[in-house]
Amino acid sequence: MKQLVQTSKATLGRLPFYYRTLNSLAEKGRSHVSSRELGSLMRIDPAQVRRDLSSIGEFGKAGIGYSVPDVLDVLEQILGLRNRTEAVLVGVGRLGAALCRYPGFEKYGLRIVGLFDSDPSKIGTKLDGLPILDVAEVPHVVRRLAIQMGIVTVPGDAAQAVTDLLVSAGIIAIWNFAPVSVRVPPGVFVRDEDLAAGLSHLSRHLSGASGHSEQESRTRRGT
Ligand code: NAD
């Protein structure tokens, strides 16, 4: 695999979208794709596609285009999709249950293996066959299964305590959906997910406050 030393942050941010687009082409049985078609599917400039892909490998052949399986192969390595990641999820409410039920994460190597909640009416029940355990069981389960990722889908006022519990159990990657910034010690990585932030971009656009075209907006957010 080519060294990623010259790959910009914006390019890295676009890689998951290349992966998603190429995957759907592969599912349709396509073996090759041109930068023009890829650019059109992703709504980015074909020259940008060529720059991005040349920064991660040498795939393109004049007149033939990019080999879809070859690019997918390298993207899987770069994005770490071959590393199976097992995670626990705390807060099995509307969002937590939806995330747990979403089958698409499997493709990205993520498997949710433990569900936790503090609501006595949920503890002991099952969600799609997976038992919902008392949140007090987190340290025990995380240590026993050597889990490294925790998904936080509790209300904001519980997020820090839940994060502290996960980190003290050995979790080193937190996918936080609660609308607060949680503090973690060095060595622990937090990814805050906020759909409302995306919505505010759209709202700003609708209210006419944004002068950016759709193309520019996609480029700015790295897609
Ligand atoms: P919900 O009320 O349906 O579910 C929250 C769950 O957390 C409940 O089952 C509750 O019993 C459990 N819980 C509460 N305190 C807990 C604790 N200390 N330990 C373990 N479990 C606990 O809420 P929801 O609609 O699913 O939203 C969940 C969180 O996700 C909220 O913080 C919400 O703001 C956030 N959210 C974020 C996004 C986003 O874009 N990031 C979108 C929707 C919701």
Side-chain angles (χ1 to χ4, degrees), residues 90-95 117-119 122 135 153-156 158 162 177-179 193-195:
V90 186
V92 197
R94 285 160 295 202
L95 180 62
D117 207 287
S118 60
D119 180 346
K122 291 184 180 173
V135 65
T153 47
V154 295
V162 163
F177 287 83
E193 219 55 76
D194 189 357
L195 297 179

Side-chain angles (χ1 to χ4, degrees), residues 28 47 59 142:
K28 289 177 193 141
F59 314 101
V142 165

